[in-house]
Amino acid sequence: MRALSTLLVLAALPVAFAVKTQDFKTCSQAGFCRRGRALSARAAGNPAWKSPYSIDASTVALSPDQASFTAAVKSSLYPEVNFGLDVRIHEDGVVRVRMDEVGGLHQRYNEAASWALLEDPKVSNSIQWSVSKDGARAKYGAKNDIEVSVAFEPLKVTLSREGKEQIVLNGRGLLHMEHFRTKESVEKSKQGIAPSEEGLDADDSQTVLEQAHPRTAWFEGEEEDGWWEEKFNSFTDPKPRGPESLSLDIDFPNHGHVYGIPQHATRLSLPTTTGENAYYSEPYRLYNADVFEYLADSTMSLYGSIPFLQAHSAESTVGIFNAIGSETWIDIAHPTPKSTTTHWISETGILDVFLLPGPTPADVFAQYTTLTGTPALPAQWSLGYHQCRWNYISSDDVRSVQARFDEEDIPVDVFWLDIEYAEEHKYFIWDKKAFPDPVDMIKDVEAIERKMVVIIDPHLKRTQDYPVYKEATELDILVKLKDGQSDYEGWCWSGSSAWVDFFNPKSWDWWKSLFKVDSSVGNWHWTESTIDTHIWNDMNEPAIFNGPEISMPRENLHYGGWEHRDLHNINGMLFQNLTSQAVAARTDPPKRPFVLTRSFYAGSQRFGAMWTGDNLGTWEHMRAGVRMVLANNIGGFSFAGSDVGGFFGNPDSEMLVRWYGVGVFSPFFRAHAHIDTKRREPYLLDEPYKSIIRDFLRLRYSMLPVWYTAFREASVTGLPVLRPHYVVFPQDEAGFALDDQFWIGSSGLLVKPVTEKSVTEETVYLAEDQVYYDYFNHYAYRGAAKGKNVTIPAALHQIPVLIRGGSIVPTRERPRRSAPLMKRDPFTLRVALGKDGSARGELYLDDGETFAHQQGNFVWREFSAAPTKAAKGVVIRSSDLGAARPAEAVDHVALAVYDGGNEFAKAVAGVRVEKVVVLGLGAKPSRVVVAWPSGEQELQWTYTPGVAAADGKEGTASVLVIKDPKLSIMSDWEIVVQA
């Protein structure tokens, strides 16, 4: 949420905000990052550089029935240290490469993948490895065009397609797994005395030891830089296990753009951090942190970490997922415009890298989400507008805010409570002076089918009158100090606080039980809540005001004896995971939970939504938010958004309107503000700003079917809800770096939010020879085969939104106060004809709150338009996609059959299409009819002449409006527009 210093400095600094960079490490202040970068510099300065790691060919062991093999790896630096390699190819072609130290003093952290992966990947039983004295190879793929090769000396792994290298591991020889050692063993090695714990053979130990230091210096450097202890500001990290970092170069010799590794406030196509004319000087850092007032253009770590990177060219897309849970720094360079090198430097952990062969963006998303899971299909109401601030101060305040929204006829679905609802910040415990009737208050909100979201932070106030802390202590499930016995004590909003160790299985059922509202449950639980109260998980990096880098000491211990440094980036995901399970488990059958998280990791997309943290009310942060949300979509986490208006500051009316224009087209749409900001609920604005925002919000609600349909696709295929240009046009190089315009799913809607002051028009890039229609005034723009920029009106009340020719967009146009109140509303279909006179679109509906869709209770329709034989008319059809493609319909279940008469379909049988708008028709129709098997039914319509889709001209398009055809949304039907 925000650092403790907020309370002390904001009064003195009401306008100027700046990140406290001194609270967070740079690479030069992290010993293992210094060592990794120094290693890279030594390699770059030595043309004869060769990796010391190699495979002993005699140890290669092929699995008899699977595409996997294991082998022993040796380092010429330390021949006495043993490493093991495991390479396997999954059924979908993904290659997993693992390497670990074998028989070392300690076990390296090896559980990151188990938390990130949806399930154990299935290894192929049809792909065959061939092994020679120099290496191992396997060829596979539908065209037998993918090859994985593992060179033995030096160790190198290469993924190629059609003979072109796609991904190379250790091609530059930067692999280094620092083995476990003791201070004593290192000192003895310098003196030529054999260290018994490293198990050298008697015959060769002396020779090895005499050469050890000079032999390793060329690779490791002369100094024991940060091996045994590190100081940062007033904190000392004792590093009980000594050096254990992992360095690995992962290169893309034929890909000039890389995307991903959120969370950073930077451009979508990641700028360079090293090499000639590098844009940044610091590597990208992955270390979940509460970065107060973060910079809008920086490689600094922020609240979440997803170590997933995509590399793209006009020929192919590939990806890598590096399953590492510790702090990681990533350098990026472009040796040529068409190639990319990356260097990953992690504090701890095994090497566990997944190579995703693509070759298209859609393939890479499918491969990554097969590993880590697709985004959860959210509750439909959660796609509406969320109103929040720190803090609504009382029950009466909440009721008053709701009443004002209704008085001004402004739609909203969710009201939020920040930390001040809780007595002494003891989460779950209401401050009865301000909230004397919490359940009645929540039910007043729910009476209009709205919801409340209440914050639950991970820090527990250390006091025996707080039942949550008391029970956690009794269960012995709190994070420990380095002695493994004493509970860790830190400082956060609750004052002296403790943290539940959610890596401990004993915490899981207990945490879920706390959210039960049934008074018959045995232990203490949240009876002063409702089954429709949802949760906000903040501060879960974890944020600790008196800790190093405002977080937890790295030597703290978790379940299994793992140090916090091993799993820091995973910590926040477990909190959201368990909270999501808890919210779902309140009812039987369960309802879909909504849990917002600030901290996240690979796989967090399975559990809810995220937001980009404590942004500033500035134009720069507005622009950065668009890029960050796109980056999270590339990272598999589609349900993402930024605080509308900025958390800090008081944006003027123009900026606030523009920020709502951004929020309307964000998957997660919430306005939020700091406790010291002025109130800025939409109804408080003067005209015309209030009415503009009302119109924007109504636009969002009219498009909820578009958003929900996009989330269905994401939940099944892994394709992002917000799609940058390269995902939609993967061969158009002119758009590979575009990150200020984007597509909503497969809807055909192209959006360019305004994020600059005093703008009256915007430039939108169109990549193809196709017609695009202004969503609001139906003006037809023309793209070009080589790409073209067009200028779109963008006055304050306008958002540049285009419909791609060939799309059909279903909307609900009747204004309602909340999303659930729209569930019986009729639909409007916008049919945007393409150059060839055709169009297509989809609509997905279910009850929006349970998991009944996984049993086949849903409606999934396809709308299509095709030219008639006369070429000037068109036939518009509705058909059943659920029946045609049942196995692809819903997340996590491959239905064998689909029953079009399912319970949900029956419930919405009366929902109709009330209007069809056809854009770009070639001529005025002679008649418009519904064609039934029993005959034709004349329809009412109006026609406004204009530019036709096939004309090749720009100008206002022709518009055919078919009035209330009274066609069921769930039935097959056919409208014939006759020329």
Side-chain angles (χ1 to χ4, degrees):
M1 201 183 313
R2 46 257 133 187
L4 183 63
S5 54
T6 311
L7 303 176
L8 304 176
V9 304
L10 276 179
L13 299 172
V15 177
F17 299 101
V19 64
K20 296 187 175 180
T21 54
Q22 69 272 18
D23 288 342
F24 303 97
K25 289 182 179 180
T26 62
C27 178
S28 65
Q29 294 169 311
F32 76 92
C33 188
R34 289 196 302 271
R35 298 197 298 272
R37 269 197 152 182
L39 171 63
S40 178
R42 286 191 292 273
N46 183 353
W49 185 270
K50 179 182 176 182
S51 172
Y53 291 90
S54 62
I55 290 176
D56 181 349
S58 67
T59 67
V60 174
L62 293 175
S63 170
D65 58 356
Q66 292 184 322
S68 66
F69 76 86
T70 60
V73 175
K74 286 289 188 179
S75 168
S76 61
L77 302 175
Y78 299 98
E80 69 281 3
V81 179
N82 298 311
F83 302 93
L85 182 74
D86 183 321
V87 184
R88 53 189 60 192
I89 306 172
H90 300 167
E91 287 183 344
D92 63 354
V94 169
V95 181
R96 186 177 189 179
V97 181
R98 284 186 290 180
M99 182 173 132
D100 193 4
E101 183 176 352
V102 178
L105 293 177
H106 309 283
Q107 173 61 56
R108 299 181 73 92
Y109 185 67
N110 58 5
E111 296 182 359
S114 68
W115 298 112
L117 299 186
L118 184 65
E119 58 188 4
D120 286 335
K122 295 178 181 178
V123 180
S124 171
N125 57 15
S126 61
I127 298 171
Q128 301 292 321
W129 285 95
S130 62
V131 180
S132 67
K133 62 182 180 62
D134 298 322
R137 298 175 183 275
K139 294 195 73 171
Y140 60 95
K143 300 178 181 179
N144 202 37
D145 58 347
I146 305 173
E147 182 177 76
V148 182
S149 63
V150 181
F152 288 171
E153 186 173 0
L155 172 60
K156 183 174 79 168
V157 180
T158 305
L159 178 74
S160 301
R161 182 180 292 274
E162 295 180 346
K164 292 184 69 173
E165 292 182 336
Q166 305 288 293
I167 308 172
V168 181
L169 307 187
N170 200 36
R172 289 181 289 135
L174 304 185
L175 169 64
H176 189 33
M177 182 173 281
E178 294 180 330
H179 69 282
F180 290 114
R181 65 202 87 183
T182 65
K183 282 186 178 181
E184 178 192 21
S185 68
V186 173
E187 288 303 314
K188 287 182 178 179
S189 71
K190 293 177 182 177
Q191 301 164 13
I193 301 173
S196 58
E197 69 270 22
E198 292 192 343
L200 292 174
D201 295 331
D203 293 340
D204 60 4
S205 61
Q206 188 62 40
T207 302
V208 168
L209 288 169
E210 288 174 350
Q211 297 176 355
H213 193 57
R215 186 182 66 246
T216 63
W218 70 270
F219 191 83
E220 291 189 312
E222 296 283 356
E223 303 296 327
E224 297 171 18
D225 183 12
W227 281 18
W228 311 111
E229 180 181 275
E230 275 195 274
K231 296 183 184 296
F232 178 69
N233 293 339
S234 61
F235 301 98
T236 300
D237 178 0
K239 294 187 175 292
R241 300 183 309 220
E244 52 176 316
S245 73
L246 173 65
S247 163
L248 178 65
D249 54 296
I250 306 176
D251 295 343
F252 308 94
N254 292 289
H255 297 83
H257 290 265
V258 287
Y259 314 93
I261 56 169
Q263 186 182 38
H264 300 97
T266 186
R267 300 201 299 264
L268 184 70
S269 180
L270 296 170
T272 56
T273 63
T274 187
E276 189 176 354
N277 299 318
Y279 183 80
Y280 296 117
S281 59
E282 283 288 304
Y284 294 93
R285 189 187 190 199
L286 295 178
Y287 186 73
N288 297 354
D290 182 3
V291 181
F292 183 62
E293 302 162 349
Y294 59 85
L295 297 172
D297 184 8
S298 173
T299 60
M300 285 184 70
S301 60
L302 293 175
Y303 310 95
S305 298
I306 299 179
F308 169 51
L309 188 74
Q310 289 192 28
H312 182 70
S313 71
E315 287 74 38
S316 67
T317 311
V318 294
I320 66 100
F321 169 47
N322 187 2
I324 200 87
S326 66
E327 178 187 2
T328 298
W329 301 78
I330 305 158
D331 266 322
I332 294 175
H334 295 304
T336 70
K338 299 287 188 179
S339 65
T340 303
T341 62
T342 70
H343 182 200
W344 299 63
I345 311 165
S346 301
E347 185 175 17
T348 74
I350 67 168
L351 188 157
D352 194 355
V353 176
F354 298 79
L355 313 183
L356 284 57
T360 69
D363 292 325
V364 171
F365 287 118
Q367 291 154 5
Y368 175 68
T369 55
T370 295
L371 292 171
T372 65
T374 58
L377 181 64
Q380 194 254 7
W381 57 262
S382 68
L383 301 180
Y385 174 58
H386 299 245
Q387 182 63 53
C388 183
R389 75 172 282 111
W390 178 28
N391 205 89
Y392 291 118
I393 61 175
S394 67
S395 298
D396 289 342
D397 194 9
V398 171
R399 291 185 175 102
S400 174
V401 171
Q402 170 158 264
R404 288 297 307 278
F405 268 90
D406 289 340
E407 289 167 7
E408 299 290 346
D409 202 17
I410 299 174
V412 60
D413 261 271
V414 193
F415 296 107
W416 291 56
L417 289 178
D418 211 320
I419 60 176
E420 307 307 332
Y421 83 91
E423 178 186 79
E424 298 179 330
H425 300 143
K426 293 181 290 188
Y427 305 106
F428 301 98
I429 309 298
W430 295 91
D431 179 351
K432 288 303 184 67
K433 293 179 181 178
F435 297 90
D437 56 347
V439 174
D440 288 343
M441 173 195 67
I442 294 170
K443 289 184 175 179
D444 285 346
V445 170
E446 294 172 356
I448 313 174
E449 296 205 47
R450 294 183 176 131
K451 303 291 189 292
M452 288 209 71
V453 169
V454 178
I455 198 167
I456 302 289
D457 281 353
H459 46 273
L460 305 181
K461 189 174 182 66
R462 292 169 56 93
T463 175
Q464 289 300 311
D465 66 355
Y466 181 24
V468 180
Y469 169 72
K470 184 173 183 293
E471 290 183 7
T473 304
E474 292 168 351
L475 287 170
D476 193 26
I477 53 173
L478 298 173
V479 176
K480 306 298 182 185
L481 292 171
K482 63 181 179 181
D483 63 12
Q485 302 297 318
S486 308
D487 294 339
Y488 169 69
E489 177 185 2
W491 199 265
C492 205
W493 295 114
S494 303
S496 176
S497 302
W499 279 259
V500 175
D501 181 5
F502 287 104
F503 293 89
N504 189 334
K506 287 197 301 181
S507 70
W508 300 347
D509 287 341
W510 168 77
W511 184 254
K512 287 186 278 189
S513 74
L514 297 180
F515 291 80
K516 296 286 187 181
V517 300
D518 182 356
S519 59
S520 65
V521 177
N523 63 309
W524 186 93
H525 54 284
W526 205 14
T527 56
E528 291 189 301
S529 180
T530 73
I531 61 172
D532 283 322
T533 302
H534 295 261
I535 304 301
W536 174 13
N537 285 161
D538 197 359
M539 310 294 282
N540 50 329
E541 292 77 24
I544 300 172
F545 296 150
N546 64 335
E549 299 193 87
I550 318 177
S551 196
M552 186 169 282
R554 300 178 188 222
E555 69 272 19
N556 279 7
L557 291 181
H558 291 264
Y559 178 79
W562 300 115
E563 286 190 298
H564 184 73
R565 76 181 78 244
D566 296 318
L567 44 77
H568 172 87
N569 287 342
I570 307 170
N571 182 81
M573 178 174 72
L574 265 65
F575 187 47
Q576 184 197 21
N577 181 349
L578 270 297
T579 302
S580 178
Q581 292 184 48
V583 174
R586 290 180 305 195
T587 59
D588 186 15
K591 291 185 175 182
R592 283 178 239 171
F594 174 82
V595 179
L596 180 74
T597 186
R598 189 173 70 177
S599 182
F600 54 87
Y601 183 67
S604 289
Q605 67 270 13
R606 307 195 298 266
F607 312 121
M610 61 74 62
W611 92 107
T612 62
D614 300 343
N615 57 351
L616 305 182
T618 66
W619 294 101
E620 292 79 10
H621 272 255
M622 190 191 307
R623 287 191 293 277
V626 172
R627 294 166 175 167
M628 292 169 72
V629 170
L630 282 173
N632 260 71
N633 274 256
I634 295 306
F637 205 159
S638 281
F639 204 1
S642 296
D643 283 343
V644 169
F647 181 64
F648 295 103
N650 295 298
D652 61 25
S653 297
E654 179 193 358
M655 184 189 296
L656 194 56
V657 166
R658 291 302 195 191
W659 215 309
Y660 271 89
V662 170
V664 163
F665 288 102
S666 298
F668 174 58
F669 180 19
R670 181 184 74 158
H672 186 37
H674 188 276
I675 197 169
D676 289 341
T677 62
K678 298 175 182 177
R679 287 277 181 117
R680 45 170 133 112
E681 288 74 13
Y683 53 74
L684 294 175
L685 273 68
D686 295 330
E687 294 293 359
Y689 309 108
K690 177 168 62 178
S691 291
I692 293 173
I693 290 178
R694 181 193 294 114
D695 289 343
F696 285 0
L697 288 167
R698 287 180 174 176
L699 175 65
R700 170 69 172 214
Y701 277 77
S702 73
M703 289 185 173
L704 286 180
V706 174
W707 288 101
Y708 199 57
T709 299
F711 266 99
R712 183 219 65 86
E713 185 179 15
S715 74
V716 175
T717 68
L719 280 166
V721 170
L722 287 196
R723 299 178 188 172
H725 183 87
Y726 87 91
V727 174
V728 181
F729 294 99
Q731 295 180 321
D732 179 33
E733 295 191 37
F736 289 172
L738 273 180
D739 56 13
D740 58 358
Q741 63 181 58
F742 50 81
W743 303 80
I744 303 176
S746 298
S747 68
L749 292 176
L750 174 60
V751 184
K752 173 73 177 286
V754 178
T755 58
E756 301 276 354
K757 185 177 177 60
S758 303
V759 166
T760 58
E761 57 186 27
E762 274 284 5
T763 299
V764 177
Y765 176 71
L766 305 180
E768 60 182 335
D769 182 12
Q770 181 59 277
V771 59
Y772 283 74
Y773 304 91
D774 187 295
Y775 184 85
F776 305 101
N777 64 24
H778 306 147
Y779 191 92
Y781 298 89
R782 301 285 170 173
K786 294 185 178 180
K788 178 182 175 182
N789 290 316
V790 297
T791 302
I792 311 293
L796 188 59
H797 67 285
Q798 296 171 308
I799 307 171
V801 182
L802 300 179
I803 312 176
R804 184 184 187 185
S807 306
I808 299 179
V809 181
T811 60
R812 279 175 154 154
E813 300 293 337
R814 299 189 180 185
R816 302 290 185 187
R817 289 186 289 176
S818 66
L821 296 176
M822 304 173 73
K823 59 188 174 185
R824 297 286 187 269
D825 283 355
F827 283 86
T828 293
L829 301 181
R830 284 175 173 80
V831 181
L833 297 177
K835 280 175 44 181
D836 62 359
S838 68
R840 185 192 177 279
E842 294 182 16
L843 173 66
Y844 175 81
L845 301 170
D846 59 28
D847 66 21
E849 59 178 358
T850 74
F851 293 93
H853 64 293
Q854 295 179 344
Q855 284 74 53
N857 288 287
F858 61 85
V859 170
W860 184 24
R861 306 297 300 181
E862 178 181 51
F863 305 110
S864 62
T868 61
K869 292 181 180 179
K872 292 186 178 180
V874 66
V875 178
I876 303 167
R877 295 183 176 90
S878 171
S879 58
D880 193 341
L881 273 177
R885 293 154 53 188
E888 305 168 42
V890 296
D891 51 309
H892 308 306
V893 178
L895 298 173
V897 294
Y898 168 75
D899 178 8
N902 64 76
E903 291 303 313
F904 175 75
K906 292 176 183 177
V908 298
V911 175
R912 72 186 196 282
V913 176
E914 70 171 350
K915 183 190 293 186
V916 179
V917 180
V918 183
L919 305 178
L921 201 62
K924 182 178 180 178
S926 60
R927 60 198 295 256
V928 179
V929 300
V930 179
W932 299 111
S934 59
E936 295 179 343
Q937 172 191 341
E938 292 279 350
L939 297 177
Q940 298 297 310
W941 52 274
T942 62
Y943 178 79
T944 304
V947 170
D951 283 351
K953 300 176 182 178
E954 294 196 348
T956 302
S958 67
V959 181
L960 170 67
V961 178
I962 304 171
K963 301 177 180 179
D964 200 7
K966 295 184 173 61
L967 300 172
S968 171
I969 201 68
M970 59 159 289
S971 299
D972 291 354
W973 44 257
E974 182 176 288
I975 296 175
V976 180
V977 180
Q978 297 181 357

